[in-house]
Amino acid sequence: MPRLIPRLVSRHAGQRGIRIWSAVAALATALAMAGLASSPASAADVNNVKNAGFESALANWTCSAGSGTTVSSPVHSGAAALKATPAGQDYAQCSQTVAVKANSTYTLSAWVQGSYTYLGVTGTGTTDVSTWTPNTSWTQLSTTFTTGSSTTSVTVWTHGWYGQAAYYADDVSVYGPDGGGGSDPAPTVPATPTGLAVSGTTSSSASLSWSAVSGATGYNVYRNGTKITAVTGASATITGLAASTSYSFQVTATNSAGESAKSTAVTATTTASGGNGGGTLPKHAVTGYWQNFNNGATVQKISDVPSSYDIIAVAFADATTTPGAVSFTLDSAGLGGYTVDQFKADIKAKQAAGKKVIVSIGGQNGTISVSDSASATNFANSVYSLMQTYGFDGVDIDLENGINATYMSQALRSLSSKAGSSLIITMAPQTIDMQSTSNGYFQTALNIKDILTVVNMQYYNSGSMLGCDGKVYSQGSVDFLTALACIQLQGGLSPSQVGLGLPASTSAAGSGYVSPTVVNNALDCLTKATNCGSFKPSTTYPDLRGAMTWSTNWDASSGNAWSNSVGAHVHGLP
């Protein structure tokens, strides 16, 4: 969620759209490749990458703008790994020219860590491929490519995402026929995965995680002895389960040499129902972000927010020097002398009128990191303290610098145990954060489905994205809203946990503004199958929660045109 519009426009215009399109293309490639089985490695296969584990510093590698170095921690294996840091318009691309044979198939893989990390190959002579991950923990990326009839070398590359933190890469490989430049042996059957654990359950899903296995390119998940899915990372969310039912799960590790033995089994028991947290809310609700700063939009007190908003998200809490902890300071000076006592009284008045007021964590400039048990505890304790101090009803998660599903889920469950069933939990991921259930944001939402109120994905400052039908849609249309909402609805969230997040005016975001009519048409399409564009959902979702906007202040600057139209429409849904 943006704080300062000039910075937002500069960050999200032009190159970001190109990079998001690259991410979509990479995801589409990964989806297309998912049904292809790799050929078994032959005795002659080698890893054709030189200095694949960065044990010889950056020998054989070239990194753009001096962005790369090697570090001794974190590493996936050995004594070193690549660390590359995006800066400005540079995405920290590190590449190597690799000798290959013509008319041959190769498996490209690497272990990476960091928010939005990409792996790809160019110059194949056929179809260049790439893949990516948003995970912040070690994850193995893998894809395959075939060389052309005259191809003798290809360029393998990794890069990050501009405006993001450094990423790490290790154990890069191009396995296949010896092109004359590799020295590593072909893969052997990987070891059996260890550490399999149940990280969360809902009434219809179970989330699993396990320790990554060196040399594995993928994992098979078994339920009650039967293989049900294959994944590339060391976690999976299994959906379509029955409520109040116990299931046995095992995993195996795979690569081109074969499949390991099954892991020790774990039992996951689904919850009784997939209800929402948040206490009493309207069936259909409108969420609006209230700005605790002046960036040119109308300055408001909480009391100035129109009654059409059911949830008011106070933006934003800030990071402290304690890992995971947050604080909140009212910008009294920037808000024309608005005092803390007035602020608290206005929150109570809104609550007396049946509204919810929550504190939002993150935003465009937010750098809160919840990456271990200690920071998860700090997060829960600090947010609960803010709830007690100011009277907030809950918390909004709006972290745009990545999210660790395991520990954020732990933090929110800890907060729920303190605050009780009336706790409001909302989330505002970017579109790319909800393209797949393997993404940290999506995993977190599924992990806490039984206490989650609503996910209001930001359908702006984006670019083209995949819909649930596998087609690419551009922002600014009814189809973009409906086809992307469908991913969440088919991916395991209840309709009552899905909202459409849009800017209140053209000034509120760098791109993606649509008129209130488009928002209303999308709501009608999803709930009643009317006013759809070219995309029509396979079923209707009459329990869809509603809509969100950034922000109540920008809405006020436009005469409350957004809330007057969308608010009334949301409250009139079936």
Side-chain angles (χ1 to χ4, degrees):
M1 205 69 63
R3 291 192 189 214
L4 302 176
I5 294 306
R7 178 181 175 188
L8 179 147
V9 172
S10 65
R11 280 190 60 182
H12 297 299
Q15 289 293 331
R16 186 177 192 271
I18 294 171
R19 186 54 55 195
I20 288 181
W21 175 259
S22 173
V24 172
L27 182 56
T29 299
L31 291 172
M33 296 302 298
L36 299 178
S38 301
S39 300
S42 71
D45 283 349
V46 300
N47 180 8
N48 289 276
V49 176
K50 295 182 179 180
N51 190 24
F54 302 94
E55 305 301 316
S56 299
L58 293 180
N60 303 107
W61 293 92
T62 300
C63 295
S64 60
S67 57
T69 186
T70 54
V71 293
S72 58
S73 179
V75 300
H76 176 254
S77 69
L82 168 70
K83 177 183 179 181
T85 307
Q89 297 301 309
D90 177 66
Y91 294 87
Q93 178 163 302
C94 296
S95 60
Q96 179 180 147
T97 300
V98 176
V100 293
K101 282 189 174 181
N103 296 319
S104 300
T105 298
Y106 292 86
T107 297
L108 168 66
S109 69
W111 285 89
V112 298
Q113 176 176 303
S115 182
Y116 307 127
T117 309
Y118 298 78
L119 172 70
V121 60
T122 57
T124 61
T126 56
T127 301
D128 295 341
V129 297
S130 61
T131 183
W132 67 284
T133 180
N135 290 345
T136 55
S137 56
W138 282 113
T139 302
Q140 189 177 41
L141 295 174
S142 183
T143 185
T144 61
F145 65 91
T146 300
T147 55
S149 59
S150 59
T151 303
T152 58
S153 68
V154 296
T155 299
V156 175
W157 52 262
T158 64
H159 68 65
W161 186 313
Y162 90 106
Q164 299 296 312
Y167 71 91
Y168 302 87
D170 203 357
D171 299 328
V172 185
S173 62
V174 175
Y175 275 113
D178 189 353
S183 58
D184 290 347
T188 58
V189 175
T192 301
T194 60
L196 178 61
V198 179
S199 55
T201 59
T202 70
S203 61
S204 61
S205 68
S207 296
L208 309 172
S209 62
W210 54 90
S211 300
V213 177
S214 178
T217 57
Y219 301 90
N220 293 331
V221 181
Y222 291 80
R223 183 180 65 213
N224 298 336
T226 301
K227 178 182 173 182
I228 55 170
T229 190
V231 296
T232 56
S235 63
T237 297
I238 311 304
T239 59
L241 306 179
S244 301
T245 304
S246 295
Y247 296 89
S248 175
F249 292 99
Q250 294 171 286
V251 295
T252 63
T254 64
N255 62 17
S256 57
E259 182 179 15
S260 74
K262 292 185 179 71
S263 69
T264 301
V266 296
T267 298
T269 302
T270 54
T271 58
S273 65
N276 302 9
T280 303
L281 273 175
K283 177 181 178 182
H284 303 294
V286 179
T287 302
Y289 284 80
W290 176 85
Q291 297 178 188
N292 181 40
F293 49 88
N294 182 355
N295 65 346
T298 299
V299 172
Q300 290 182 317
K301 297 179 174 65
I302 293 292
S303 57
D304 297 327
V305 177
S307 61
S308 51
Y309 289 100
D310 303 291
I311 303 175
I312 303 168
V314 172
F316 294 97
D318 297 304
T320 72
T321 56
T322 302
V326 297
S327 64
F328 176 79
T329 303
L330 186 70
D331 183 12
S332 297
L335 302 180
Y338 194 21
T339 68
V340 171
D341 287 342
Q342 287 177 300
F343 178 69
K344 292 179 179 179
D346 287 347
I347 290 175
K348 288 183 178 179
K350 283 293 182 183
Q351 292 165 335
K355 310 303 179 181
K356 305 292 184 181
V357 184
I358 60 178
V359 61
S360 182
I361 310 297
Q364 176 185 299
N365 299 345
T367 57
I368 294 93
S369 176
V370 179
S371 56
D372 54 30
S373 293
S375 57
T377 299
N378 294 338
F379 180 91
N381 289 343
S382 61
V383 172
Y384 186 59
S385 177
L386 294 180
M387 292 175 63
Q388 292 177 304
T389 299
Y390 294 97
F392 295 128
D393 293 291
V395 65
D396 170 68
I397 307 300
D398 183 16
L399 298 174
E400 298 185 10
N401 59 325
I403 190 170
N404 184 304
T406 298
Y407 295 109
M408 181 54 75
S409 300
Q410 177 182 319
L412 293 172
R413 288 202 174 277
S414 176
L415 178 62
S416 176
S417 69
K418 298 173 183 292
S421 60
S422 63
L423 176 68
I424 294 279
I425 300 177
T426 69
M427 302 174 73
Q430 300 171 98
T431 52
I432 197 169
D433 294 325
M434 300 299 284
Q435 285 277 282
S436 168
T437 55
S438 65
N439 181 275
Y441 246 112
F442 214 142
Q443 286 182 33
T444 301
L446 293 174
N447 288 351
I448 63 163
K449 183 179 174 182
D450 55 314
I451 58 172
L452 173 66
T453 307
V454 63
V455 175
N456 293 304
M457 189 170 74
Q458 302 176 44
Y459 291 81
Y460 50 98
N461 295 331
S462 175
S464 299
M465 286 284 158
L466 289 174
C468 65
D469 57 356
K471 296 180 180 179
V472 176
Y473 294 94
S474 299
Q475 69 176 3
S477 66
V478 169
D479 289 336
F480 187 73
L481 306 184
T482 55
L484 269 68
C486 176
I487 296 176
Q488 300 172 63
L489 294 163
Q490 292 185 359
L493 293 181
S494 298
S496 61
Q497 294 173 317
V498 175
L500 308 181
L502 283 308
S505 71
T506 55
S507 299
S511 64
Y513 171 78
V514 296
S515 71
T517 300
V518 173
V519 183
N520 293 341
N521 286 344
L523 292 167
D524 287 342
C525 179
L526 291 167
T527 58
K528 300 181 290 187
T530 62
N531 295 324
C532 297
S534 61
F535 173 82
K536 294 179 175 59
S538 58
T539 186
T540 57
Y541 304 95
D543 291 335
L544 193 81
R545 178 61 80 177
M548 170 275 282
T549 195
W550 176 268
S551 61
T552 64
N553 306 76
W554 285 113
D555 187 25
S557 295
S558 300
N560 293 316
W562 193 93
S563 58
N564 287 340
S565 176
V566 177
H569 198 83
V570 166
H571 295 137
L573 290 173

